[in-house]
Amino acid sequence: MPRVRIKVDGVTYEDEVEPRLLLVHYLRERLGKVGTPVGCDTTNCGACTVLLDGLSVKSCSVLAVQADGREITTVEGLGPGGELHPMQRAFHTEHALQCGFCTPGMIMASIDLLRENADPSEAEIREGLEGNLCRCTGYQNIVRAVRRAAEEMRQAPEREVTS
Amino acid sequence: MTETVAGREIGSARRRSEDARLITGRTQWTDNLQLPGMCHVAFLRSPYAHARITGVDAAEARQRPGVVAVFTGADLADEQGSLPCAWPVTEDMRHPDHPPMAVDHVRYVGEPVACVVARDRYAAADALEAIDVDYEPLTPVLDMEQAVADGADLVHADLGTNSSYTWVFENGDLDAALRDAPVLIERRYVQQRLIPTAMEPRAVVCAPEGDGFTLWSATQIPHILRLMLATVTGIPEHRLRVIAPDVGGGFGSKLQVYGEEVLALLLARRLGRPIKWTESRSEGNLTVHHGRDQIQRLTLAAERDGTIRGLKVDLLADMGAYLMLVTPGIPLLGAFMFNGIYKMDAYSFTCTGVFTNKTPTDAYRGAGRPEATFAIERLMDELAAELDLDPIEVRRRNWIRHEEFPYDTIAGLTYDSGNYEAATDKALHLFEYDTLRAEQADRRERRDPVQLGIGVSTFTEMCGLAPSRVLGSLSYGAGGWEHASVRVLPSGKVEVVTGSSAHGQGHETAWAQITADRLGVPFEDVRVLHGDTSVSPKGMDTYGSRSLAVGGIALVNACDKVVDKARRVAAHLLEAAEEDLEFTGGRFSVRGVPDQARTIQEVALAAFAAHDLPDGVEPSLDSDATFDPDNFSFPHGTHLCAVEVDTETGFVRIRSYVAVDDVGLVVNPLIVEGQVHGGLAQGIAQALYEEAVYDAEGNLTTTTMADYLIPSAADLPHFVTDRTETPATTNPLGVKGVGEAGTIASTPAVVNAIVDALRPYGVRDVPMPCTPERVWRALNEQEGSA
Amino acid sequence: MIPAGFEYVRPESVDEAVSALAEAGEDAKVLAGGQSLMPLLRMRLAYPEVLVDLDRVAELREIRDLGDALFIGAMATHHQVMRDPLVRRHAPLIAQATATVADPATRHRGTFGGALAHADPAGDLPAVALALDAVCNVRSARGSRDVPAADFFVDWLTSALEPDELLTGVTVPKLGPGWGTHYEKFHRTAQSWAVVGVACAVRRERDAVADVRVALTNMGAAPVRATAVERSLEGVPVSDGAFRSAAEHAADGTAPPGDLHGSPDYRAHLAQVLTRRALTAASAR
């Protein structure tokens, strides 16, 4: 079995993994990083979105072995020291979640979106989140939350910390 | 009588307490659980819609690495029982056996036929492929109209028919109305089959613990599930504990007793170790119960001035292959709603439940009421078109005026309150109705390839399910009450236990708001517990927009009982008469002597110490209460939708959407707005995107999210939402419920808008979902026939 | 769902990759980002015995200026391609179409070469490659060869690649002055596949169409050039009427599929509407 060395939320892990092990299952079942859920089989829903070397990926369509030597950030690794990331705060403030199952992926995708575009319009936010499905919110408050976080992060960019 | 409470918490936009764990990933989804010795189960499912099982060979699978056990339906036949249907809607309803795992017949694609228990999910999935099942295919029954015709193939041969039941409601002289009315609008509408698609797939974990079992499930109904698991398996109810941990949405799909839940319990008992099952999305699309799926034949009789005389409704409702928990009752929840907000003299409703070789249907957000609302709101637009009236005007001529409440409807309900005029006026203003009509006229004039359409939906719905006596009269197997208990702990902090089981609705916040106001304690001092039958001993769970209108009132009653008890203790401590005490802001004070006072926290400590309690008062400050409503609640509202239809491609874009809802008193406007947004998204999705499609062999072709289209942020518009507030008169808070309103209202608003855009082309209907191709075809058929 | 087991090879050079493929034989699959292959593996619709992962073959990520053409390495991600200054300048059609592929997270992993080698007729990039007369650069342990896009897409999910062959990159001729391009995609939801797409390049000389290429997404088992449209426009003065009547031939000779999202005749109709729109947009530039 291949041996991998993966840094997840600031901690380096070394493990032997079956090649077919999905990254999301590695995170959830080997590392106990259950904050990242699985919502589909076809990369459509985005619930499992994490950052791989800083870029959003759907961890259900990446093999754990492909993350060898890479760095993963999950929703659990945002805002070190117990402080919330501005995006997490904005999701709370704008009531951008109900059941919360899509939320980890939605937050990670939104952080990625702002990395690309610090001041997105409503249309750009909606398009940028096309790969993350939510069944509860109708997305309106998610859009608001991303705008709020964008504003906050533009004003205080040093707070943009991802582990 | 309504006692509108305007406290400092009720009505405030509290940010949700639940969020702290949900935004940080510190959630407890069922699939997160890892228990020592836990095995994973995977199910082998029927690839045939209808077949006889002639043999199952699992020998090779049993030898695969990591495999603990393999079971077939036959292996479990003696103990697995039959999945429950709690709603025998007629005395002669045909109700087939429904084994959790098929034994000798399969009746829909996806029905489980065998399972592998293995040390991990990968090994379980691998071993499934080594099981060999021999099937003798039978002809699948897929079309409802054919299924009830003479000589049809049968889903259940032993029943001799594909009809489960026929249920009838009649009031007034409909024959006369149909005979005498100068205008008859006859239509056939199809409510397509939908897949609820909660974001969290189902999951269940069952562990033997002591002399019983603990079962965690992604369920809306831990209490009902426990009772039903006991009934099905014979394991005594008091040996079962059911926990609904964090549950990722339900929309009715987790209001169910699923075979996988029963089987997880049976396997945990057989093997004596914890069992976990987590479905994949494509497995879930096949096996989570589906929603809607009705063929509606409708006749509306009216005068030439638009006054409605009567309505005839004839339904075929697809049950799927089996009757599940409340399958047969779902279309009947619509029986009382086809009349909508309108007055009429005569009404007739007939529904036949039909078996087909498809996934069973059951509750999906709105459950019966969206189907009814769609029918009447589409008919009202058709009536307006027929009479060349504005669709708002034809509604005004027929709706119940605000001064006419309470109003006994033709469908036998009493609407306690409402103000359709106010909601409509507000919506028209926000929508800029006249401006959009002018633009529509201009585009029509110019023959713009992109046409504008305006859709109206003035809806009401019945929610707050439900008065137990009404449920009894409809033969439902349980009551509709809810339970709450309130414990003021010795330290003055408060624990609230609710029988309602939240899965995204925000009970932990809203219930704390109510409690904070009723007891006069800080919001932060209240903790709400739910979703565990050992913590919450009684409950009827969460569905049918019932949590606040029923469970919230139980909480109010429990709080009030706590205050009553505290008053007795406080009076004793203050050496004053109870009637001389005032209770405000969490403080009992003697009227006229404000510094003579005890806070409720002080009273709680005194009640705990019990050193000096009045005679007959038991220690500790707590109480519990149930609430059983006298009536349903009736949220209503006016939704207006403008669409742009590209007549060249058939593509529909929602240009603007205004929703004015009246849900009575609002405890948390943020949560209410969120519920409306999400409801709109699902209702719009029915109108435009979603459909469970079966092919000619009975295979579901929409098993993944690539085929079953859930709208993303990029596909939905910005919603303009507002409210009017006409309190319900049937509960002390004046609340109505908001979980389903958006879904119920929006589907007809969108379809009405599309048809309105295309009416000059002769189009008078587009079947749902109104895909670009269907819109294009509707246009083309007209052009072809013109 | 869970993939069946496979052997995993992670070469770090093209030479290693092609020798791994040669060794693995018929039952190998190339993992080039995996955004189409991973779902197939998870649904157990594909059972490769060996997976050759190109993720670490750095040389395949390059995008280079070849003078009169661009070279886009097969493992250049969609994310990389749509932002690349060379691509945006010399092959804006690729940048525009790539931005419509799936969603941002998928574009971070999915690759240009992967999308072509997958040869999904509903994919956006095969038609784009076809419209641009791109040439696929193919390597194997046996040697290298160039396959014009017109010969590369053979059938549904079938390219001209032999089991031991690797698509290393694509050579895209630069479009000179006077060219305008447009990709017109029609889909039901933002995330869903194209029901039909039209990739179009038009070169105007004064007010006439000097050169035109139109390729169609999802109008057959493989992407196809709308040759009847191209022929009827050559040398014709640019006008709405000319585009409209030419576009009426968009579906000529095609055999569009019928599925949940569109019947063959609806697709034929869409091809006409979208071709007209694509021609108009491309020639406006």
Side-chain angles (χ1 to χ4, degrees), chain B residues 89-90 165-169 332 335-336 349-353 473-474:
Chain B
V89 295
T90 61
Y165 67 87
T166 296
W167 193 93
V168 178
F169 176 91
L332 309 187
F336 310 100
F349 172 94
T350 306
C351 174
T352 298
S473 73
L474 293 170

Side-chain angles (χ1 to χ4, degrees), chain B residues 43-53 55-56 102 105-114 128 131-138 140 286-287 357 694-700 703:
Chain B
F43 292 95
L44 184 67
R45 297 178 180 279
S46 170
Y48 289 100
H50 197 188
R52 195 171 289 122
I53 299 171
V56 184
H105 272 86
V106 286
R107 294 188 174 84
Y108 65 94
V109 172
E111 193 170 353
V113 294
L128 279 189
I131 301 175
D132 211 6
V133 183
D134 290 327
Y135 296 96
E136 181 189 322
L138 301 169
L286 285 172
T287 58
N357 288 111
Y694 284 84
D695 69 13
E697 282 77 47
N699 298 299
L700 183 71
T703 53

Side-chain angles (χ1 to χ4, degrees), chain A residues 18 20 29, chain B residues 38-41 66 117-125:
Chain A
E18 231 189 320
R20 63 170 167 162
E29 294 180 3
Chain B
M38 188 172 79
C39 293
H40 291 255
V41 62
V117 182
R119 58 185 277 192
D120 63 51
R121 64 176 98 213
Y122 283 59

Side-chain angles (χ1 to χ4, degrees), chain B residues 50 52 82 93-99 104-105 107 138 152-163 321-322 355:
Chain B
H50 197 188
R52 195 171 289 122
S82 181
M93 181 181 85
R94 281 164 282 267
H95 176 197
D97 253 14
H98 185 187
D104 44 21
H105 272 86
R107 294 188 174 84
L138 301 169
D153 291 297
L154 296 176
V155 177
H156 298 277
D158 52 330
L159 298 182
T161 172
N162 290 318
S163 165
Y322 300 97
F355 291 113

Side-chain angles (χ1 to χ4, degrees), chain B residues 284-540:
Chain B
N285 277 15
L286 285 172
T287 58
V288 168
H289 71 239
H290 293 174
R292 315 279 191 265
D293 207 342
Q294 288 182 0
I295 297 171
Q296 308 176 318
R297 290 184 180 282
L298 309 156
T299 309
L300 183 74
E303 301 293 343
R304 291 226 66 88
D305 67 357
T307 309
I308 302 171
R309 292 288 310 278
L311 174 65
K312 184 173 192 292
V313 176
D314 211 333
L315 299 186
L316 292 179
D318 196 339
M319 307 283 98
Y322 300 97
L323 302 181
M324 296 196 69
L325 191 62
V326 289
T327 301
I330 296 302
L332 309 187
L333 288 172
F336 310 100
M337 283 284 115
F338 274 89
N339 51 309
I341 62 169
Y342 310 111
K343 297 178 279 192
M344 59 187 76
D345 311 327
Y347 173 58
S348 149
F349 172 94
T350 306
C351 174
T352 298
V354 183
F355 291 113
T356 61
N357 288 111
K358 297 182 185 175
T359 302
T361 61
D362 209 317
Y364 170 53
R365 202 170 193 171
R369 292 154 288 160
E371 297 91 319
T373 304
F374 179 89
I376 186 64
E377 289 304 303
R378 285 283 295 115
L379 287 174
M380 293 307 282
D381 263 35
E382 294 299 300
L383 179 62
E386 175 74 22
L387 300 174
D388 203 22
L389 288 171
D390 183 280
I392 300 283
E393 178 56 28
V394 81
R395 286 170 169 82
R396 275 188 204 284
R397 291 182 187 181
N398 285 288
W399 70 39
I400 302 158
R401 295 190 308 275
H402 71 274
E403 66 272 18
E404 293 178 287
F405 291 96
Y407 186 88
D408 294 332
T409 74
I410 193 71
L413 294 176
T414 301
Y415 293 177
D416 63 307
S417 66
N419 191 335
Y420 309 140
E421 300 94 319
T424 303
D425 289 347
K426 197 169 209 177
L428 290 172
H429 173 71
L430 290 168
F431 190 66
E432 299 181 23
Y433 187 77
D434 295 335
T435 311
L436 284 167
R437 281 286 181 212
E439 181 184 333
Q440 177 182 51
D442 178 56
R443 289 196 192 219
R444 284 179 176 175
E445 177 81 13
R446 284 190 284 122
R447 301 195 69 80
D448 191 326
V450 179
Q451 288 287 311
L452 187 73
I454 295 170
V456 182
S457 172
T458 52
F459 80 104
T460 189
E461 59 138 333
M462 53 185 249
C463 65
L465 270 46
S468 296
R469 63 178 171 77
V470 174
L471 292 177
S473 73
L474 293 170
S475 311
Y476 180 64
W481 50 268
E482 193 47 271
H483 172 260
S485 64
V486 173
R487 300 193 284 260
V488 188
L489 303 174
S491 61
K493 308 297 182 195
V494 183
E495 276 179 345
V496 168
V497 177
T498 175
S500 196
S501 189
H503 43 281
Q505 292 87 346
H507 289 21
E508 292 166 38
T509 307
W511 272 220
Q513 288 181 272
I514 293 170
T515 306
D517 271 4
R518 292 313 268 211
L519 300 186
V521 300
F523 172 85
E524 294 76 14
D525 283 2
V526 184
R527 185 171 185 223
V528 179
L529 306 171
H530 61 88
D532 178 343
T533 58
S534 287
V535 172
S536 158
K538 290 189 274 193
M540 282 295 180

